[in-house]
Amino acid sequence: MTVELGRFGVWTMAGSWPTGAEAAELESLGFGALWLGGSPDGSVLGTVEALLGATERITVATGILNVWSTPAQEVNERYRDLAWTDRFLVGIGAGHREIVGEVYQSPYQKLVHYLDELDVPRDRLALAALGPRVLQLAAARTSVAHPYLVTPEHTALARETVGAGVLLAPEQHVVLESSPGEARALARQALEFYLGLTNYTNNWLRSGFTEDDLADGGSDRLVDALVAWGTPERVASRLREHHDAGADHVAVQVIGPDRERAYRELAAALA
């Protein structure tokens, strides 16, 4: 049975947020999945069980486990420990050369070999995917393709690439701020790290952006394309553009202060 994600979920780096009580509130607001960023190491696995135990319906996904630093056997063991639930989605990905270092060779083949080693059902696997080759691998070997930091236009191309047999779950950065200057400042702070990673910059160049768009913290054109900002209603409209483009689920990552309030306001706007 295909994993249940709902139309919208929450994406956050694993750590101090959310607590079990906060995860339960996100569930009550109607979010269908909680994506826990865990790259580059596998420490995120230590928080999954607690959040599953604190909730009743929401799916908890790793977004992502890095295949270079998280042994497949460790993932297999943790998956067996959680055999009591069908709400655990194992998301994996190849990470980035700039972080992994010299071992980062033939990432596509590494993903293939890692998938061969995993003892996790296909319908409980997600794969971080940006380019056509890895999107096709996601469709062939997993149940969920999970592009990160992409536009609705990329979502449309991803849907065309993966076809109808896989759930498409892009991530979307959002800022609940109506002042263009303040919103873009927050967005640029969030994008600064990713502008140094070639997997992302190459994908943006494939998507029609230019080297000038990537310079000096990112052009307004790039920032506005990658980060939805404005009122909750305006942001909700942007999130729905991914669904219109072929997404099954959108993982929403709030940038800025007071995330709890932001997710409450977004939930109301999406209802």
Side-chain angles (χ1 to χ4, degrees):
M1 183 177 68
T2 304
V3 66
E4 293 290 339
L5 297 177
R7 284 178 60 80
F8 299 100
V10 171
W11 201 104
T12 182
M13 288 301 299
S16 60
W17 192 90
T19 63
E22 289 162 338
E25 181 185 8
L26 293 170
E27 178 180 70
S28 72
L29 290 172
F31 293 104
L34 179 59
W35 295 82
L36 302 177
S39 181
D41 61 48
S43 60
V44 62
L45 288 170
T47 68
V48 169
E49 186 167 9
L51 293 178
L52 286 168
T55 54
E56 297 178 356
R57 300 176 305 279
I58 200 167
T59 293
V60 180
T62 56
I64 51 101
L65 297 176
N66 190 300
V67 298
W68 306 97
S69 54
T70 310
Q73 185 58 35
E74 179 182 347
V75 180
N76 291 339
E77 292 172 1
R78 184 53 58 93
Y79 185 81
R80 286 193 292 270
D81 290 342
L82 295 173
W84 54 270
T85 181
D86 60 1
R87 296 188 289 121
F88 178 31
L89 179 66
V90 178
I92 67 167
H96 306 278
R97 185 182 305 276
E98 293 84 356
I99 297 173
V100 173
E102 294 182 1
V103 71
Y104 194 90
Q105 302 291 331
S106 302
Y108 180 85
Q109 290 303 320
K110 176 67 174 179
L111 286 172
V112 171
H113 294 154
Y114 195 90
L115 286 166
D116 290 341
E117 294 174 349
L118 282 180
D119 186 20
V120 177
R122 174 178 172 174
D123 63 3
R124 292 295 177 269
L125 279 175
L127 180 61
L130 291 173
R133 198 178 186 201
V134 181
L135 283 165
Q136 291 167 358
L137 181 63
R141 300 289 302 271
T142 77
S143 66
V144 182
H146 181 48
Y148 185 90
L149 260 182
V150 294
T151 63
E153 291 77 15
H154 181 278
T155 294
L157 291 173
R159 173 52 71 194
E160 183 178 341
T161 301
V162 301
V166 64
L167 293 179
L168 183 57
E171 179 272 352
Q172 177 67 63
H173 278 44
V174 308
V175 174
L176 292 194
E177 172 57 61
S178 295
S179 164
E182 293 182 22
R184 287 173 178 148
L186 286 168
R188 285 190 171 91
Q189 289 177 20
L191 294 178
E192 181 180 6
F193 171 70
Y194 301 103
L195 282 163
L197 301 177
T198 55
N199 284 356
Y200 291 116
T201 57
N202 287 342
N203 187 58
W204 299 332
L205 292 171
R206 282 195 303 266
S207 298
F209 296 100
T210 68
E211 294 287 355
D212 287 342
D213 286 315
L214 305 183
D216 301 321
S219 67
D220 285 354
R221 174 178 176 242
L222 180 74
V223 169
D224 292 351
L226 295 177
V227 182
W229 57 266
T231 65
E233 292 73 23
R234 179 180 175 182
V235 170
S237 178
R238 173 69 171 281
L239 295 174
R240 294 188 182 102
E241 290 181 19
H242 284 283
H243 285 291
D244 294 341
D248 300 287
H249 171 88
V250 182
V252 182
Q253 182 173 182
V254 168
I255 305 301
D258 202 354
R259 284 175 294 187
E260 293 85 353
R261 176 189 59 81
Y263 281 115
R264 292 181 197 118
E265 294 181 357
L266 276 176
L270 290 168

